[in-house]
Amino acid sequence: MRMPLWYGGDYNPEQWPEEVWAEDVALMRRAGVTLVTVGVFSWSRLEPAEGRYTFGWLDRVLDLLADGGIGVDLAVPTASPPPWFSLAHPDALTVTRDGVRLTHGSRDTYCVNAPAYREASLRITRALAERYRDHRAPVMWHVHNEYGTPCHCDHAAAAFRAWLRRRYGGLDALNDAWTTAFWGQHYSDWAQITPPRATQYLPNPAQALDFRRFVSDEMLAHFAEQRDLLRELTPGVPVTTNYVLAGWACVDHWKWSREVDLVSVDDYPSGRGMAAAEQTAFAADLARSWAGGRPWLLMEQATGYVLGPRASPKEPGEIARHSLQHVARGSKGAMFFQWRASRGGAEQWHPGMVPHAGPDSRVFREVCALGEALERIPASAGGSLIDAEVAILWDEEAWWAVQGPGLPSAEIDYLAAARQAHRVLWRQGVAVCFAHPSHDLPAYRAVLVPSLYLISDEAARNLAAYVEGGGTLVVSFFSGIADEHTRIRLGGYPGALREVLGIRVEEFRPLAEPVELPELGPATVWSEVVHLDGAEAVARYPGGGPAVTRHRVGAGTAWYVSTRLDDSGYARVLAHTGLAGSGTPGVEVVRQRDRVFAINHTEDEQPVPVDGTDLITGRPVDGRLGPGGYVVVPAQTRPAVDPRRSRDLPNHR
Ligand code: GLA
């Protein structure tokens, strides 16, 4: 018997008088809520003075929820230390790169390297675990919230130096890796090294990149300390922490995903309409890939759009469609920020499952309808139920490097390149996952490499072996250029990938104006002087130089796209490589091995290659879906699975 899906959101009862709590639970039951995250920002209400706890209110909340049959994802509230803590330990407040020590007044104002903060974090963790270890309500621990606060204070500087000593062993290796010979930055004593604080002109890119790696590792250490204590005190209760997705990546998610019991993500699309659906699919495929075949959870989304210049409601049906996009890819449920829209405080305009208008509202009616639909869909046994044909390489280190100082074009955008690769395949109905450049790749029919500026020797060998073995590799411009210390690989670009691509790039020519490529349309941002060295030109620049190349290597083929194409140009290159799906744009069909999700994101009725009985409505599906409609049907037959290319790869990096 499969577990039901989780459905609910962040619940912040401390923002409301107690009379509202009973109504909350009644409304949650009406909406089919099964799980709420409680206490994410409650530290000051739980520990109003050092070591003095006021758990009474939380006892009552958890009892009420348990009586209502609602599970609790109990938070450890370390993302928002109380005002008394910051006053007592000003050295634990974040310092920006400009040297400004932030003050209390928002959230996330801490330094994970401050000893007082580490101690206080463990103290509140222990207190919560000891208090609620035998309570009926908690089913999961939710440590912190969206880790992502870098600090440049002296505690961080000391920890950075210790991290660097572990990484490099000696100063000679560090000076070499950071190319400190440039601008006379040679370090003769560890004490001279600081985080990349504000400085006169461009900072050292290798130092900047190492600092980002360090920040990710130190935040992970803070998480792991709490996780280990929770595992000791409440064995068997899974521990998660919610990742921020896409636009902002403060941590190395491949690494983190090996440390959490459940990958959970927050997803707030910045686009609207179809663009939001595309971004949602991208986010869910990333989460599914990080989970490496295990179930994962959409921990937060919103009932409206919150990013961009203006907040707006989601259109009718979008709340359900976005939720199902995640569930279709293995999410254990659909959760929101937050249950009840706040009436005051910094996010008082953030939408909730219960909006300011109250339950007599379109949003709450849609929330109830979604709860009813989810009740009828059994939880997935995991994202590994999807057979992905294509992998897109995803590496936060490479992204951080491309966000570094002094690059030849400010318009090179790794996230945009990865999104384009995903979007183009999504529109054609091709199942995609993400992989780290060092993952085993033979399972995939094709591997797409968005502008992956930085690549290790090991990863480059991995890609070459993939092609030799029969794979199709499609590399976009500005890939393979730098080593893991952001040093340029010499002898011609794209350095580490020159041989497998069979080309040698002598010069870059960033484009100020678009140029037109025959058959492929406009080329923007970037162009290159490409010499063929075994490859053949598939498309040329107006001046005659190769723009897109193909190189047969062993049993496979490596393609190179030396400029930025628009979506249709990129789709045409993929079609040349043999990658073209048969999907209808805007109609998403996600095939798990035992059931199929079909979601129509368009405003017209559409044909869908799906038959059977819809698990949600119990009605037959006759190969058509109404505008904005969705269905989930059991798979007719289990697809034959070629074990060589059958699954998402486990996250074993
Ligand atoms: C994040 C946070 C939430 C809330 C939402 C608002 O995802 O985790 O606490 O601030 O953003 O969009």
Side-chain angles (χ1 to χ4, degrees), residues 10 40-41 107 145-146 242 266 268 300 306 337 347 350:
D10 278 40
V40 177
F41 298 109
R107 66 175 183 188
N145 189 67
E146 297 189 336
N242 50 335
D266 299 349
Y268 296 92
E300 286 183 26
V306 296
F337 181 89
E347 289 184 336
H350 194 288

Side-chain angles (χ1 to χ4, degrees), residues 18 102 147 156 249 276 307 337 345 354 440 472 508 514 523-524 572-573 608 634:
E18 280 202 43
L102 302 179
Y147 273 98
L307 301 181
F337 181 89
V354 181
D440 282 344
T472 300
F508 291 149
T524 54
R572 258 176 250 148
V573 171
V608 280

Side-chain angles (χ1 to χ4, degrees), residues 287-311:
R288 172 170 75 85
S289 305
W290 290 329
R294 295 174 295 160
W296 54 276
L297 179 64
L298 170 64
M299 184 63 89
E300 286 183 26
Q301 61 176 329
T303 56
Y305 291 108
V306 296
L307 301 181
R310 53 197 78 78

Side-chain angles (χ1 to χ4, degrees), residues 127-385:
L128 276 162
E130 286 177 345
R131 180 84 179 187
Y132 297 110
R133 70 211 299 179
D134 297 320
H135 198 282
R136 297 164 292 155
V139 297
M140 183 161 62
W141 287 107
H142 181 295
V143 169
H144 205 87
N145 189 67
E146 297 189 336
Y147 273 98
T149 303
C151 178
H152 301 72
C153 73
D154 289 343
H155 293 305
F160 186 39
R161 288 191 282 268
W163 184 92
L164 290 168
R165 274 176 188 258
R166 291 195 295 278
R167 181 169 172 85
Y168 292 108
L171 276 176
D172 287 350
L174 177 137
N175 278 309
D176 180 48
W178 285 12
T179 318
T180 56
F182 192 78
W183 282 348
Q185 292 174 351
H186 185 90
Y187 294 106
S188 55
D189 193 308
W190 289 99
Q192 296 158 4
I193 302 175
T194 64
R197 293 171 172 157
T199 187
Q200 160 60 14
Y201 182 41
L202 298 176
N204 182 314
Q207 178 189 13
L209 176 60
D210 268 347
F211 186 68
R212 296 197 72 166
R213 291 175 170 131
F214 155 80
V215 168
S216 174
D217 284 356
E218 293 299 303
M219 292 192 292
L220 183 54
H222 177 256
F223 165 78
E225 268 175 16
Q226 294 171 73
R227 177 205 60 198
D228 291 348
L229 183 58
L230 293 168
R231 282 183 179 165
E232 180 194 319
L233 298 173
T234 58
V237 181
V239 184
T240 191
T241 182
N242 50 335
Y243 303 160
V244 186
L245 270 195
W248 181 53
C250 273
V251 306
D252 178 340
H253 290 105
W254 293 115
K255 220 179 198 182
W256 277 61
S257 298
R258 293 197 306 264
E259 302 293 332
V260 295
D261 294 330
L262 177 81
V263 164
S264 60
V265 299
D266 299 349
D267 182 27
Y268 296 92
S270 58
R272 302 288 189 268
M274 195 60 78
E278 288 160 358
Q279 291 175 356
T280 302
F282 177 88
D285 278 330
L286 261 179
R288 172 170 75 85
S289 305
W290 290 329
R294 295 174 295 160
W296 54 276
L297 179 64
L298 170 64
M299 184 63 89
E300 286 183 26
Q301 61 176 329
T303 56
Y305 291 108
V306 296
L307 301 181
R310 53 197 78 78
S312 54
K314 285 193 176 170
E315 294 302 323
E318 281 190 320
I319 295 172
R321 289 196 294 276
H322 293 171
S323 299
L324 288 176
Q325 288 186 276
H326 284 273
V327 171
R329 290 170 171 80
S331 174
K332 273 172 89 74
M335 306 284 290
F336 290 80
F337 181 89
Q338 58 180 335
W339 165 249
R340 199 183 265 280
S342 304
R343 63 181 173 187
E347 289 184 336
Q348 66 196 126
W349 286 106
H350 194 288
M353 297 170 83
V354 181
H356 289 148
D360 183 11
S361 56
R362 172 181 71 89
V363 165
F364 190 67
R365 280 187 285 279
E366 290 199 27
V367 162
C368 292
L370 175 58
E372 220 178 306
L374 294 177
E375 242 170 58
R376 307 210 172 118
I377 307 171
S380 162
S384 61
L385 298 179

